[in-house]
Amino acid sequence: MRGTVNLPLLLFLLFVGVPILEIAAFIKIGGWIGLAPTLLGCVVTAVIGAFLVRLQGFGVLRNAQAAIARNELPVSEIAHGVFILIAGVLLMTPGYVTDAMGFLLLVPAVRSAVAHAAMAYMKAHARVHVMRSAAWSEETRNDAPGMTIEGEAVEIKESD
C-alpha cells in the first residue's frame, strides 16, 4: 500500500532513532562548547520554549473563543493548539534535536503546513463507520423532519 505509515518503523525511529540523534548532538555540541554550556543550553531552551508555548497557547485559546463567539467551529485553532502542545512536549524533552523540532512547531507557517499535511493524510486514509441505534429505524428517520405530535390542550384557570 502506497502512502501508508509503517507503524513498527515509526516506533523504532521514535524510540531508538531520536535518542541516538540526541546523543550524537550532545557529543558534537559538547565537543565544540564544553559540557557545562551544553547542559545549560538544554535548560535555557526548555525555559524559553515553555514561555513561548504558554504565550502562543493563550493566543490560540483566545482565537478559539472568538471563533466560537462568531458561531464558527474552531477547527484551525484546535489543530494549532494540538501542535503547540506537541511543541511543548518536544521542548521539555532534554536534547537539541527535539528542541529544534519543538521550536519549528512554534512557527505558525510551519505549524499550518504540518497541520495541512496531517489533515490530507487523515482524509486519504480515514475509515468512517456509522452506527445507528435500533431505536432510530428507517420509519422514525423518515418522520423526523416534519414530525407532528398530536395532543389536547387544556386551559387551567387559577381560582380567586
Side-chain angles (χ1 to χ4, degrees), residues 17 21 53-54 94 105 127 133 142 149 158:
L21 285 174
V53 164
R54 183 172 183 238
L105 283 177
R127 293 186 197 147
S133 69
N142 290 338
I149 300 174
E158 289 185 33

Side-chain angles (χ1 to χ4, degrees), residues 4-19 121:
T4 60
V5 173
N6 184 346
L7 190 59
L9 179 61
L10 179 65
L11 290 174
F12 176 79
L13 290 174
L14 284 175
F15 292 110
V16 177
V18 172
Y121 179 84

